[in-house]
Amino acid sequence: FSEFGYPTHSAWPNISLEKQAQYISRMYLSCLTDPQVKTVICYDLKNDGTNTAEAEHNFGILDFYANPKPSYHALRQLAARTGDARPDSSGIFSDRYSLVFGDSLNIVWSYSETQTCRQTLLSSFVRKESFLGDTLAYYIRDGDPVTLTLTESPAYLISQADEPQISELVFDHEDILLYPGDTVQALFSAKASGAIPLILSPSLLNWSLLGDCGTLGNGRFIASASGTGWVVAEFQGIRDTLELTVMEDPGIYTVESFDDTAGFRVESNVLLPPATHIAPETDGSRSTLAFHYEFSGTAAYAYLFKKILLNPSADSLFLDLKKDSNIHEIKIYCRDALRRSFILTLTPHLSDWQNGWGTLGAPMTALQSAAAPVSVEKFYLKIKPGAGVPTDPCTGTLLFDDLRMTRGVSVEIVSEPSLPRSPSLSQNYPNPFNGRCTIRFELPEASHVRLDILDIHGTVVSTPLAERKAAGSHRLDLVPDRLASGIYIYRLTTDRTSVSKKFLLIK
């Protein structure tokens, strides 16, 4: 069969170096299946030139300076594995190609895309080599099928006579959260001597369960009662342990208490160091995580990273948070066992809050299609300056506490901060200001409220508010257009008392 080749030049059809190696290997292997083909000639041994845009310069399996391309290494691998032999049998099944050489070698690939298939291997000990020599080993109990991932690159399944010796056995997850009735297969990975990845049949391992929260069979755990248990897997004297927590149903379970900074990190190319940082902080009786930030401009965002385990069959996720006077948006990015991403948006909008503790909530319906286990990967934080003319830079602090899952339990999404014993009036923000500022006040009970602006001589020059207000926190955006620059007093008068503060207006 003379002659064929695939140029790796930059123009159409844009065959990459790896594609050339795939195509040449598959052409030789395909020709081996036809007894009428005696000789196959590939064009060319070496590139004829160095012009990357010229096809005729780029047919070689060596470049112009005789340096090997991937196709050269692929043909070395093919020759080393097949020699002069032809396959005893071959076939095409659903675009999957297979060539069998005796009872020791099977060469497989997919025609045009990655595929997974269940297949029984030729022996209990098999080494899988890629067409470029990368190695993966299998140790399978006789008759057990395995899941193979096939690509457009030929893979060599080589039978081994000797049992591989493992050097590492670890579970894929440190712990798993379950509800009674949940079932999970304990997933693990192993390596053979030489750090070669090793696929082991679960039935080859010695399994044991510590605890009374469920039952275990061949690595498959079925949760039955709330509590903690440990799955232990052992093979060739090497073992690992997986912790299982079965939560109460119905019930509330805290997945992160935010007591310290362990495992957390902050990333942002907008927030300004060193003012932006996280630190443990006590707020009353609460042990919290404080997120201090500083930025310039109209908005900023940041990511707070930590892996936190979830159970996708929970009903809702809740987070306690104490905010400042700026405007915030928070989302939680999750990832499941198949590396798929999911986003939970916490509500209500934090701009609806005043300063104080509250609870954000999100239904976990977005995770219904997720494959357990599921983990929080990061918190997305978007920050905008509060109402009024923002200072530059803008600063603030958020306090995080108790991220928790619920199932069958109703949790109030918003909890108002405790009311003051007497009317309180906060300092206007910003101060001094030019054009607009925000004034906040709190009432212990419903009252008629009057807010007066007085000049330095005590004369009332403006009354921007005079109406009845409910108990709780309130805000007023003040725009004193008709006032000249200077020092003024703002006075809050209720049915029971009066309180005053000063501000500086600069025009």
Side-chain angles (χ1 to χ4, degrees):
F1 177 52
S2 175
E3 61 190 2
F4 76 96
Y6 306 97
T8 57
H9 63 306
S10 58
W12 185 90
N14 306 112
I15 296 173
S16 66
L17 294 172
E18 183 178 8
K19 282 290 185 186
Q20 183 194 48
Q22 291 173 345
Y23 290 165
I24 290 178
S25 298
R26 285 160 44 171
M27 179 63 79
Y28 271 113
L29 290 169
S30 298
C31 289
L32 286 177
T33 66
D34 190 338
Q36 299 180 89
V37 178
K38 304 300 182 183
T39 302
V40 181
I41 300 175
C42 175
Y43 181 84
D44 196 356
L45 174 65
K46 185 173 78 72
N47 282 357
D48 291 339
T50 58
N51 185 350
T52 58
E54 172 59 49
E56 191 58 40
H57 281 201
N58 293 276
F59 274 94
I61 62 173
L62 307 174
D63 67 16
F64 182 72
Y65 303 103
N67 298 307
K69 295 182 181 180
S71 53
Y72 173 88
H73 297 293
L75 287 177
R76 277 192 71 181
Q77 177 80 344
L78 189 154
R81 294 303 168 206
T82 61
D84 297 330
R86 287 180 181 263
D88 297 319
S89 63
S90 62
I92 305 173
F93 313 96
S94 300
D95 284 342
R96 297 193 297 268
Y97 286 68
S98 175
L99 282 66
V100 178
F101 296 77
D103 58 1
S104 61
L105 175 64
N106 187 3
I107 305 177
V108 292
W109 72 89
S110 169
Y111 174 66
S112 61
E113 59 184 15
T114 299
Q115 295 189 30
T116 57
C117 63
R118 297 285 284 174
Q119 184 168 331
T120 300
L121 299 181
L122 298 175
S123 69
S124 299
F125 315 135
V126 173
R127 188 174 75 255
K128 179 183 177 184
E129 294 183 355
S130 75
F131 76 137
L132 295 178
D134 299 326
T135 302
L136 173 67
Y138 290 84
Y139 184 1
I140 306 299
R141 188 179 293 277
D142 288 341
D144 282 358
V146 298
T147 299
L148 292 179
T149 299
L150 305 183
T151 69
E152 297 178 47
S153 303
Y156 301 84
L157 304 177
I158 306 162
S159 298
Q160 300 290 112
D162 299 325
E163 173 183 322
Q165 298 300 303
I166 74 166
S167 60
E168 180 179 296
L169 174 66
V170 294
F171 283 110
D172 292 354
H173 305 280
E174 295 181 359
D175 47 21
I176 295 178
L177 295 178
L178 302 164
Y179 285 109
D182 285 351
T183 300
V184 64
Q185 177 67 47
L187 302 178
F188 61 90
S189 58
K191 290 183 179 180
S193 299
I196 297 174
L198 175 63
I199 306 299
L200 287 172
S201 287
S203 59
L204 292 170
L205 275 63
N206 296 317
W207 297 91
S208 58
L209 176 65
L210 306 177
D212 300 321
C213 54
T215 57
L216 178 69
N218 206 23
R220 187 176 180 85
F221 176 79
I222 302 176
S224 60
S226 60
T228 302
W230 293 266
V231 172
V232 182
E234 185 272 335
F235 185 71
Q236 292 182 354
I238 298 178
R239 66 176 59 193
D240 195 21
T241 303
L242 171 65
E243 182 175 338
L244 303 167
T245 301
V246 182
M247 301 170 290
E248 292 184 355
D249 182 18
I252 302 173
Y253 186 81
T254 300
V255 293
E256 174 57 48
S257 59
F258 295 97
D259 289 340
D260 52 47
T261 60
F264 284 100
R265 62 183 173 89
V266 176
E267 286 189 7
S268 175
N269 59 3
V270 178
L271 297 178
L272 303 174
T276 298
H277 66 281
I278 55 176
E281 188 169 308
T282 301
D283 187 74
S285 61
R286 291 177 179 259
S287 297
T288 74
L289 181 69
F291 173 62
H292 303 280
Y293 61 86
E294 179 177 312
F295 68 94
S296 296
T298 58
Y301 66 89
Y303 291 102
L304 182 62
F305 286 86
K306 185 176 183 180
K307 186 175 181 180
I308 303 170
L309 193 63
L310 301 179
N311 185 320
S313 61
D315 294 331
S316 301
L317 193 66
F318 293 91
L319 172 67
D320 288 346
L321 190 110
K322 185 176 183 180
K323 71 180 295 291
D324 51 35
S325 57
N326 292 320
I327 300 171
H328 308 84
E329 177 184 347
I330 298 182
K331 296 180 181 180
I332 297 179
Y333 285 73
C334 305
R335 194 177 294 274
D336 73 352
L338 302 179
R339 307 300 297 165
R340 295 178 298 181
S341 295
F342 301 84
I343 300 176
L344 302 178
T345 300
L346 296 173
T347 56
H349 296 295
L350 291 179
S351 57
D352 297 337
W353 280 358
Q354 310 301 323
N355 287 353
W357 281 100
T359 301
L360 294 176
M364 293 180 64
T365 51
L367 299 178
Q368 287 180 346
S369 62
V374 175
S375 297
V376 172
E377 290 224 320
K378 58 188 175 184
F379 297 81
Y380 166 81
L381 310 173
K382 184 176 181 180
I383 310 165
K384 293 183 178 180
V389 180
T391 58
D392 194 2
C394 178
T395 61
T397 299
L398 296 176
L399 299 183
F400 292 84
D401 195 19
D402 287 354
L403 180 68
R404 56 202 182 274
M405 293 187 306
T406 67
R407 193 154 94 160
V409 176
S410 176
V411 177
E412 185 71 21
I413 291 183
V414 176
S415 57
E416 293 292 337
S418 58
L419 296 175
R421 294 183 179 180
S422 60
S424 64
L425 180 64
S426 299
Q427 184 65 52
N428 65 300
Y429 176 83
N431 184 46
F433 72 99
N434 176 10
R436 178 188 295 268
C437 73
T438 297
I439 296 174
R440 300 181 184 274
F441 59 93
E442 294 183 329
L443 303 174
E445 58 188 4
S447 173
H448 184 81
V449 175
R450 179 184 176 95
L451 185 72
D452 296 313
I453 309 299
L454 299 80
D455 63 18
I456 196 66
H457 304 293
T459 303
V460 175
V461 295
S462 174
T463 303
L465 176 66
E467 61 183 69
R468 189 169 184 80
K469 290 288 187 180
S473 299
H474 303 275
R475 60 178 284 174
L476 172 69
D477 291 328
L478 179 65
V479 186
D481 291 334
R482 299 181 180 180
L483 299 183
S485 298
I487 298 175
Y488 293 86
I489 300 169
Y490 60 102
R491 180 178 64 198
L492 179 73
T493 304
T494 69
D495 293 340
R496 293 180 178 272
T497 189
S498 177
V499 60
S500 301
K501 288 185 180 295
K502 293 181 181 179
F503 65 72
L504 175 60
L505 174 63
I506 301 175
K507 290 188 175 182

